[in-house]
Amino acid sequence: MLIAAGHNKWVKLLHRFCLLLITFHLTACAQPTQMPASSQVRLAVVNTPQDSGLLTYLLAEFEAQTGHQVIVEKSDDPFAIALAGNADIIISHYGKAGMAKFIADGYGTWPNMVFANQAVLIGPNNDPARVSDSSSLEEAFRAIANNDQTLIANNNDGISALTELVSTASGLSLDGDWYRDLGVSKGRAIKVAEKEHAYVIWGAIPFLKFQAKHHTEMAILFSKDPLLQRIMAITRPKPEHFPATNTKAAKLLETYLLSTATQAKIMRFRAAGSDHQLWWPAGRHN
Amino acid sequence: MLIAAGHNKWVKLLHRFCLLLITFHLTACAQPTQMPASSQVRLAVVNTPQDSGLLTYLLAEFEAQTGHQVIVEKSDDPFAIALAGNADIIISHYGKAGMAKFIADGYGTWPNMVFANQAVLIGPNNDPARVSDSSSLEEAFRAIANNDQTLIANNNDGISALTELVSTASGLSLDGDWYRDLGVSKGRAIKVAEKEHAYVIWGAIPFLKFQAKHHTEMAILFSKDPLLQRIMAITRPKPEHFPATNTKAAKLLETYLLSTATQAKIMRFRAAGSDHQLWWPAGRHN
């Protein structure tokens, strides 16, 4: 596996120009900046599969089995990479902006579900509300409220929607004392929650990255509710729009990722810094 | 809510002729056999949302709120109903044959995940392997093997794939004594498992239907593993292919089903005959 190096300024400008052309539906734009060797597979992917170590863990065996080399380019917007003709295969959250349009415009194959990552409930090491004993996020929210503890809002669309859903289901109002929105998000939300001895929800992998960099007394206390999971899917750029795409190698990689053996490996994976299962196979949904 | 009555022979013949025309890509076929009134929404759906009572539970409020009437037609193949021009909205497993083709052919809108149903681990009431204490299906499989109990194969693609996945992850071989494939499926698998005092996996809703009709000492013993869930999605037939489709009402129903309030209602729903949560909101994946 090879992590693509950051592009220089001119390549970035070229990318931008290319994206501009695409918005005018000029398919002539879909030329790659670099032709792939037939044994290379260029994987454009959202951040967490790479940041967590999951891809390194899964791809080593693929490379050993097939002799292919996977060039991983992680990005907040893997579809921009694909639209510029620089990907043979894409892994992204199913609900990510860009996925629906890429498929609906006819650029990508039918999205096959591959795995889910997840958010977690984080709190003070001593867990004053004992959320780690909960059997659902709903129960954890009630434990926080009933033990006069606080959940700090982490201002992120997905987390806000999840918080609203689970509080609605549990009959807890977000106007109650147990919930406070201080306008913070991400690492800042963790720091504020730590200061307040409060709980907070965040993506498991960003939190583990934060934990590795900062001294914190905050820990992952609850993870086992399927509502915390968010599914990712595989799509492959279609060769009729992206003639230089390495379809053969990309298909091989897709088949490998969806195989029973690889799906089972996903279950066994543990990210550095946590013994919680944070990745879930999703191939059964296809 | 109105359940569509079975069609008579001539209507069936007309359907078949209509489907034949469609295979020759004559869009002229996409005329409904019955024009919907503007306050009616025709929902074509796979069996379990209707069989479980979930739709009755969810749609009553939609009908009361909007004054619309939802005409539910459940089927093993809701896409055939839609292709014949007789649906305004479809709910089906994301992985069901027909979904990918319907969307890829340009007939349906982007599939929005709505909810998941699930399979369950069923066994003798006295639960000799104590699988009900397990925290995952993997642990339940190990409990069966370690307590010299047996899992009987239920020959169904999804269940076989799940069994293979979980046994691979847990390091248990399907050639071991704990697992027996006697070539049975569905209700027959339950009867055989009961006779053998063994365990078996089946869809929760078909099992509850079986349980309501037959005397059985078998019970749902384990349900709480997200691997047991299978996601369903909503798609709407596009008006450019199906001009008589009631897009306005269908959009209203889709919005209602994906709203936080309805997604929370899905969490609270319990099917008759079980106190397990068997339906899971899936709107967060969009």
Side-chain angles (χ1 to χ4, degrees):
Chain A
M1 191 180 60
L2 203 135
I3 317 300
H7 299 292
N8 68 30
K9 204 173 96 182
W10 292 107
V11 176
K12 275 189 184 159
L13 274 174
L14 184 65
H15 266 186
R16 273 186 206 150
F17 178 60
C18 212
L19 283 170
L20 196 68
L21 285 184
I22 284 164
T23 60
F24 288 98
H25 296 275
L26 297 180
T27 51
C29 177
Q31 298 302 323
T33 50
Q34 196 190 352
M35 293 289 287
S38 67
S39 68
Q40 289 189 337
V41 199
R42 299 162 305 165
L43 167 61
V45 62
V46 293
N47 297 313
T48 56
Q50 182 63 20
D51 289 345
S52 62
L54 176 71
L55 285 180
T56 306
Y57 167 77
L58 295 180
L59 295 177
E61 193 167 315
F62 173 76
E63 292 185 333
Q65 274 177 15
T66 65
H68 283 75
Q69 185 188 30
V70 183
I71 302 168
V72 176
E73 186 160 9
K74 70 165 185 159
S75 167
D76 285 331
D77 187 0
F79 295 98
I81 298 170
L83 284 168
N86 291 318
D88 302 309
I89 187 166
I90 307 156
I91 299 179
S92 158
H93 289 99
Y94 180 76
K96 191 164 180 68
M99 170 73 91
K101 188 167 163 49
F102 191 75
I103 312 287
D105 286 351
Y107 290 135
T109 56
W110 178 251
N112 279 320
M113 305 300 167
V114 59
F115 43 59
N117 69 345
Q118 73 163 91
V120 286
L121 183 56
I122 295 153
N125 262 326
N126 66 339
D127 190 10
R130 312 232 0 124
V131 298
S132 56
D133 295 340
S134 301
S135 67
S136 67
L137 191 56
E138 210 180 317
E139 214 177 287
F141 276 21
R142 279 202 215 96
I144 292 171
N146 293 342
N147 288 287
D148 300 319
Q149 302 297 319
T150 312
L151 180 71
I152 299 287
N154 185 347
N155 282 270
N156 159 295
D157 285 350
I159 296 172
S160 302
L162 177 67
T163 306
E164 205 187 323
L165 172 66
V166 175
S167 61
T168 304
S170 59
L172 285 165
S173 165
L174 294 183
D175 295 329
D177 286 342
W178 72 285
Y179 184 72
R180 285 174 71 195
D181 186 349
L182 302 169
V184 288
S185 68
K186 299 184 180 177
R188 183 91 195 106
I190 302 296
K191 285 181 181 167
V192 167
E194 180 161 16
K195 201 171 147 244
E196 304 282 333
H197 305 285
Y199 294 82
V200 63
I201 295 171
W202 199 16
I205 306 307
F207 175 70
L208 292 175
K209 269 177 83 175
F210 175 92
Q211 209 180 25
K213 276 189 204 161
H214 303 84
H215 173 79
T216 176
E217 299 293 324
M218 301 287 275
I220 296 177
L221 297 173
F222 178 80
S223 65
K224 282 199 86 171
D225 188 319
L227 291 177
L228 289 160
Q229 298 176 22
R230 259 190 96 210
I231 282 186
M232 297 190 190
I234 294 175
T235 177
R236 287 180 284 103
K238 290 185 182 172
E240 57 263 41
H241 294 289
F242 305 95
T245 192
N246 190 349
T247 297
K248 202 176 155 191
K251 273 188 184 171
L252 210 61
L253 178 54
E254 179 169 12
T255 302
Y256 168 80
L257 289 170
L258 297 178
S259 71
T260 302
T262 309
Q263 294 279 304
K265 266 177 94 82
I266 293 166
M267 288 172 68
R268 289 194 298 262
F269 176 69
R270 295 294 179 272
S274 176
D275 54 4
H276 291 249
Q277 181 179 345
L278 301 172
W279 290 90
W280 304 83
R284 73 192 175 283
H285 295 301
N286 303 310
Chain B
M1 190 179 63
L2 203 134
I3 317 301
H7 299 291
N8 68 30
K9 204 174 94 183
W10 292 107
V11 175
K12 275 189 184 159
L13 273 173
L14 184 65
H15 266 186
R16 273 186 207 151
F17 178 60
C18 213
L19 283 169
L20 195 69
L21 285 184
I22 283 164
T23 60
F24 289 98
H25 295 277
L26 298 179
T27 52
C29 176
Q31 298 304 321
T33 50
Q34 196 191 351
M35 293 289 285
S38 67
S39 67
Q40 289 189 337
V41 200
R42 298 162 307 166
L43 167 60
V45 61
V46 292
N47 296 313
T48 57
Q50 182 63 20
D51 289 345
S52 63
L54 176 71
L55 285 180
T56 306
Y57 168 77
L58 296 180
L59 295 177
E61 193 167 315
F62 173 76
E63 293 185 333
Q65 274 178 13
T66 65
H68 282 75
Q69 184 189 30
V70 183
I71 301 168
V72 176
E73 187 161 8
K74 71 165 183 155
S75 167
D76 286 329
D77 187 359
F79 295 99
I81 298 171
L83 284 167
N86 290 320
D88 301 310
I89 187 166
I90 306 156
I91 299 179
S92 158
H93 289 98
Y94 180 75
K96 191 165 182 64
M99 170 73 90
K101 187 165 164 51
F102 191 76
I103 312 288
D105 286 350
Y107 290 135
T109 56
W110 178 251
N112 279 320
M113 305 301 166
V114 59
F115 43 60
N117 69 344
Q118 72 163 92
V120 287
L121 183 57
I122 295 153
N125 262 326
N126 66 338
D127 191 9
R130 314 233 358 126
V131 298
S132 56
D133 294 339
S134 302
S135 67
S136 67
L137 192 56
E138 210 181 317
E139 215 176 286
F141 277 20
R142 278 203 215 94
I144 292 171
N146 293 341
N147 289 286
D148 300 320
Q149 302 298 319
T150 312
L151 180 70
I152 299 287
N154 186 347
N155 283 269
N156 158 295
D157 286 351
I159 295 171
S160 303
L162 177 66
T163 306
E164 205 187 324
L165 171 66
V166 175
S167 60
T168 304
S170 60
L172 285 166
S173 164
L174 295 184
D175 295 329
D177 286 342
W178 72 284
Y179 183 73
R180 286 175 69 196
D181 186 349
L182 302 169
V184 288
S185 67
K186 301 183 180 176
R188 183 91 194 107
I190 302 297
K191 285 181 181 168
V192 167
E194 179 160 17
K195 204 172 145 243
E196 304 282 333
H197 304 285
Y199 293 82
V200 63
I201 296 172
W202 199 16
I205 305 309
F207 175 71
L208 291 176
K209 269 176 85 176
F210 175 91
Q211 209 180 26
K213 275 189 207 163
H214 302 84
H215 174 77
T216 176
E217 299 293 323
M218 301 287 276
I220 296 177
L221 297 173
F222 178 80
S223 65
K224 282 199 89 172
D225 188 318
L227 291 177
L228 290 160
Q229 297 177 22
R230 259 190 95 210
I231 282 186
M232 296 190 191
I234 294 174
T235 178
R236 286 180 285 103
K238 290 185 181 171
E240 57 264 41
H241 293 289
F242 305 95
T245 193
N246 191 349
T247 297
K248 201 175 156 191
K251 274 187 181 169
L252 210 62
L253 179 54
E254 180 170 12
T255 303
Y256 168 81
L257 289 170
L258 297 178
S259 70
T260 302
T262 308
Q263 294 278 305
K265 265 176 96 82
I266 293 166
M267 289 172 68
R268 289 193 300 262
F269 176 69
R270 294 294 179 275
S274 176
D275 55 3
H276 292 250
Q277 181 179 344
L278 302 172
W279 290 90
W280 304 83
R284 73 194 175 282
H285 296 301
N286 302 310

